Amino acid sequence: DDNNGTISDRFGIGVDQKISNIFFTGAEVSGRFLRGVPFLVADNASGEAEFAKTKWTERNARTYLNWVINDNFNLKAEYFYEQLKRDRFNGEGNFTDLRTHTGQMMGGFFHPSGFLSRINLKYINQSGDFWFTETDGSSPIIGAGDDFFTVDAEIGYRLSKRHGIVSIGVQNIFNQNFNYQAVDQNMPTLPKERFLFSRLTLSF
């Protein structure tokens, strides 16, 4: 959900391959190039503000391997890489270069009665260059990062005729503490505390 007025282009390529009846794999790479990204610049002396424009760059890579063990169990391994580059003074976030490596191992159980369960072990390694505004008005750039594991789990029930799924789950089961820079502050993807949820998905 880019800022209003942003012009963006995305280029990418991907491939999916069925190795056998039980193994599936794939990979993709893509890049987004955003220009004319508007942000508000305030003049501390006059108290007025005006819009300026900047450029952003985003690069992504992903690969996965699915193993359908049998009709009831499956496993999935996935690796995802993301690099975000921002101008130093862009009015959005506080990083100039953010690099995130994510590895996941996911397992699922599906019973013919409709009962299902999932577990997800995730490893994240994130590093970046962040700028801070000091009291003297200077804005030094400081390198920082963190790496950590999280575990998520979910149980649910598939409605008859595949009309939907009702489920409950927990993210960050072990209440892991970590430093992570989210891109969308309004919709964080990683809760920094144990997070319980329920979900109803309908399909017609």
Side-chain angles (χ1 to χ4, degrees), residues 152-176:
D152 307 329
E154 182 179 0
I155 59 173
Y157 181 77
R158 186 184 301 277
L159 304 179
S160 63
K161 299 181 180 181
R162 297 183 178 271
H163 283 320
I165 296 175
V166 57
S167 61
I168 60 174
V170 56
Q171 291 182 284
N172 195 4
I173 292 177
F174 300 106
N175 203 29
Q176 177 71 32

Side-chain angles (χ1 to χ4, degrees), residues 135-146:
T135 55
D136 60 2
S138 62
S139 299
I141 295 179
I142 301 174
D146 199 0

Side-chain angles (χ1 to χ4, degrees), residues 15-16 19 34 52 63 77 97 172 186 199 202:
V15 60
D16 295 290
I19 301 175
L34 298 83
T63 184
D97 190 359
N172 195 4
N186 296 319
R199 176 164 50 203
L202 299 177

Side-chain angles (χ1 to χ4, degrees), residues 1-8 34-39 51-54:
D1 186 14
D2 299 322
N3 296 341
N4 293 338
T6 300
I7 301 173
S8 66
L34 298 83
R35 59 190 187 276
V37 182
F39 65 97
F51 279 99
K53 296 181 178 181
T54 186

